[in-house]
Amino acid sequence: MKRFLLFFGAFATGLAAACLTAWLLLLPGRLDEQQLQSQRPTAAVSATPTPTPTPAPTPLPQMDFSALLAQNPDVVGWISIEDTPVDFPVLQGDDNEFYLRHGLDGEYDILGVPYVDYECDVEHGRHLILYGHNMGVGKTERFSSLQNYKDPDYYTQHPVIQLDTLYGSALYKVVAVYALTARTTDADYFPFNTYVDFADDAAEQAYLDEVARRAFYTTGDYARPDERLLTLCFCTYEMEDARMLVMARPLREGESAGPDEVHVQADPLLPARWPAGG
């Protein structure tokens, strides 16, 4: 039932309302973005730093979330994408509705704040799903800029997502971008967000195959079934009740953080309601 509310209830109607009222909130929204981004955690100070042997890649430092946690114990991390507006705290509530319309301080905020699916295990889970608002074309608030990933050229400029959590920091390479219907009554509805974890590698491979069928494009050698996945989900407006998803997997040892070869799919599996040429 909570899944239904996310995709067919509060999430769908809430995001539509947010888009319609965005022009009323543009300046306050921008100021709030700055206020959020100014609270980016810094690297925690280690009393006994451990040197990293060459040629192993230098690990990302553990971030100090103490100031953010003092504000809100629901903080679980921070997401950023270099040279984009995405640079926000990440929260996790008891459901997938509260932070859709509440900010870091727990007060009502129509823009909400990026949050992890309440069923995901941030420390140990094999699939982290993050939700955020897309306020429409030309907007930059929250996850709005992520809609540009539909264009492979945007991926080549922004191939890597950084996710810092309470348990460690990692870079994730974007490997697929695809679209879904959010209407559970549609015959081609794909409940991607029920896959918050995988029983084994075979189950994850089946999921990866399903995503690949739907992707506008994939990159590099895609993802392996033993790798943790990160999916960013947000509204897209080519049709009503649609979602766009950006899927990534961890940067591999010795791998460049630069863009990989893009494999554009000529005929991706799109929702039946998706407009021709959309």
Side-chain angles (χ1 to χ4, degrees):
M1 186 61 181
K2 288 181 178 176
R3 295 287 174 191
F4 179 83
L5 288 174
L6 171 63
F7 272 79
F8 197 62
F11 197 31
T13 58
L15 288 180
C19 187
L20 290 174
T21 58
W23 64 277
L24 291 172
L25 299 159
L26 183 59
L27 182 57
R30 287 185 185 277
L31 292 174
D32 187 52
E33 304 277 293
Q34 295 172 6
Q35 292 168 355
L36 281 175
Q37 292 166 355
S38 69
Q39 299 182 69
R40 198 179 203 280
T42 57
V45 177
S46 174
T48 55
T50 302
T52 303
T54 304
T58 302
L60 295 176
Q62 174 63 46
M63 307 306 284
D64 181 3
F65 286 93
S66 56
L68 285 167
L69 288 168
Q71 294 184 63
N72 190 329
D74 286 345
V75 169
V76 294
W78 192 279
I79 185 170
S80 58
I81 302 175
E82 189 174 1
D83 296 326
T84 79
V86 176
D87 192 19
F88 301 115
V90 176
L91 287 86
Q92 185 177 39
D94 295 328
D95 56 43
N96 284 335
E97 297 171 39
F98 185 79
Y99 287 110
L100 185 68
R101 286 287 175 265
H102 290 81
L104 174 63
D105 59 5
E107 297 298 320
Y108 181 82
D109 182 347
I110 196 168
L111 293 175
V113 68
Y115 60 97
V116 180
D117 191 293
Y118 79 104
E119 290 191 327
C120 288
D121 181 340
V122 176
E123 184 175 9
H124 300 295
R126 294 177 62 160
H127 190 189
L128 295 182
I129 302 171
L130 275 64
Y131 305 105
H133 283 295
N134 171 12
M135 304 305 289
V137 176
K139 300 295 191 297
T140 59
E141 296 85 0
R142 304 307 191 259
F143 278 2
S144 298
S145 62
L146 296 182
Q147 63 192 308
N148 296 315
Y149 272 109
K150 186 181 175 186
D151 182 348
D153 288 341
Y154 192 81
Y155 154 76
T156 62
Q157 298 170 41
H158 311 287
V160 171
I161 300 166
Q162 181 166 338
L163 182 64
D164 303 291
T165 76
L166 304 180
Y167 312 103
S169 300
L171 296 177
Y172 289 80
K173 256 198 167 175
V174 173
V175 293
V177 178
Y178 63 110
L180 298 173
T181 174
R183 292 183 182 175
T184 59
T185 54
D186 284 350
D188 56 353
Y189 173 72
F190 174 55
F192 85 97
N193 63 329
T194 62
Y195 296 89
V196 295
D197 212 339
F198 304 100
D200 51 35
D201 290 353
E204 182 170 351
Q205 184 62 62
Y207 180 82
L208 290 172
D209 291 344
E210 188 64 36
V211 170
R213 294 174 60 215
R214 301 170 182 274
F216 295 111
Y217 61 89
T218 60
T219 70
D221 63 353
Y222 196 41
R224 300 169 184 165
D226 61 347
E227 292 178 310
R228 184 181 225 195
L229 303 179
L230 171 66
T231 296
L232 310 182
C233 175
F234 48 94
C235 272
T236 188
Y237 299 103
E238 288 83 354
M239 67 181 199
E240 290 186 359
D241 300 327
R243 302 289 179 269
M244 190 169 294
L245 301 102
V246 176
M247 189 179 79
R249 47 84 176 158
L251 189 71
R252 296 165 184 160
E253 185 173 349
E255 182 180 27
S256 166
D260 292 321
E261 182 180 0
V262 175
H263 310 288
V264 176
Q265 189 158 209
D267 188 26
L269 178 62
L270 291 167
R273 294 186 294 108
W274 194 265

